[in-house]
Amino acid sequence: MNELTKVQPTFAAFMDFLVQKEILTPEARQRAQNAHNTMEYPADTVLVELGLVKEADLAAHLSDYLGVPALEQLPTNAANDLINAAGMPFLEANHLVPLGLEDGALVTAVADPFQRHHLEALAFLFELPVSPRIFARTTISEYLSALREQAGGEDAVEDATDDNFADSDDIDRLKDYAREA
């Protein structure tokens, strides 16, 4: 349904890629895999928090591995209609930002492309394939926080989501789909 499902990348395969590129040692790979399996934290969080890879470098490595663009900055003009339709709480929880439409696909900033069910939920909501762009998790978090502040805080963003753009049935459908995944 999206570019990532063609490849079905896995965290384990990505770590093997990092070992092959001599970015991780086999021991560090095992340490990250153990932490990921035990804690069930997102892949990018595990590698960064363990100090195995810098966050900025991780985005570049993910881009290289997946063959999808990694960008350093999100655009200054947000696709508010797409953001509001997806729902700020969903985007913040999953570190996603719909950026716009390109070639019939929803271009989406993502921090952890291995959590495909979040991207599939967006594809389901918008009825479009998703074309991911890799960004550092903090870049996405800061961007969404700035959007929330520009909108006047938490209540204003959620009000815009509920009243101006999103059909509540669509939001419920998206949440149900994400829970099932």
Side-chain angles (χ1 to χ4, degrees):
M1 184 176 280
N2 62 55
E3 290 180 16
L4 294 179
T5 57
K6 295 176 189 172
V7 179
Q8 293 296 325
T10 64
F11 181 55
F14 175 59
M15 289 193 306
D16 290 341
F17 170 82
L18 294 176
V19 170
Q20 290 171 356
K21 295 279 187 177
E22 298 181 355
I23 296 161
L24 289 182
T25 64
E27 295 78 18
R29 183 219 181 280
Q30 188 61 49
R31 182 176 164 215
Q33 186 68 55
N34 290 344
H36 182 66
N37 292 344
T38 303
M39 303 303 290
E40 296 184 13
Y41 288 145
D44 61 310
T45 300
V46 169
L47 291 169
V48 171
E49 291 299 320
L50 290 177
L52 300 174
V53 180
K54 292 180 184 175
E55 188 177 38
D57 295 340
L58 180 59
H61 297 316
L62 281 166
S63 174
D64 186 29
Y65 173 68
L66 297 169
V68 299
L71 304 172
E72 291 181 22
Q73 289 186 311
L74 287 157
T76 55
N77 55 336
N80 288 334
D81 55 336
L82 298 174
I83 290 168
N84 288 329
M88 189 64 90
F90 174 79
L91 297 174
E92 288 174 323
N94 299 300
H95 296 87
L96 301 169
V97 179
L99 301 174
L101 302 176
E102 184 179 293
D103 298 326
L106 179 66
V107 177
T108 304
V110 59
D112 183 359
F114 302 111
Q115 299 210 353
R116 288 184 296 276
H117 55 282
H118 303 311
L119 296 174
E120 290 167 358
L122 282 178
F124 182 74
L125 174 68
F126 290 104
E127 298 178 351
L128 291 169
V130 172
S131 180
R133 300 296 185 267
I134 308 298
F135 284 88
R137 183 173 294 270
T138 55
T139 300
I140 292 174
S141 294
E142 290 168 0
Y143 184 81
L144 291 172
S145 292
L147 285 179
R148 185 176 289 285
E149 286 178 26
Q150 289 173 2
E154 187 172 327
D155 294 336
V157 174
E158 289 179 7
D159 287 345
T161 300
D162 293 338
D163 297 335
N164 297 336
F165 296 104
D167 180 333
S168 62
D169 291 337
D170 286 342
I171 297 299
D172 290 340
R173 180 174 69 156
L174 179 63
K175 290 176 183 175
D176 289 343
Y177 185 80
R179 275 193 289 267
E180 290 173 9

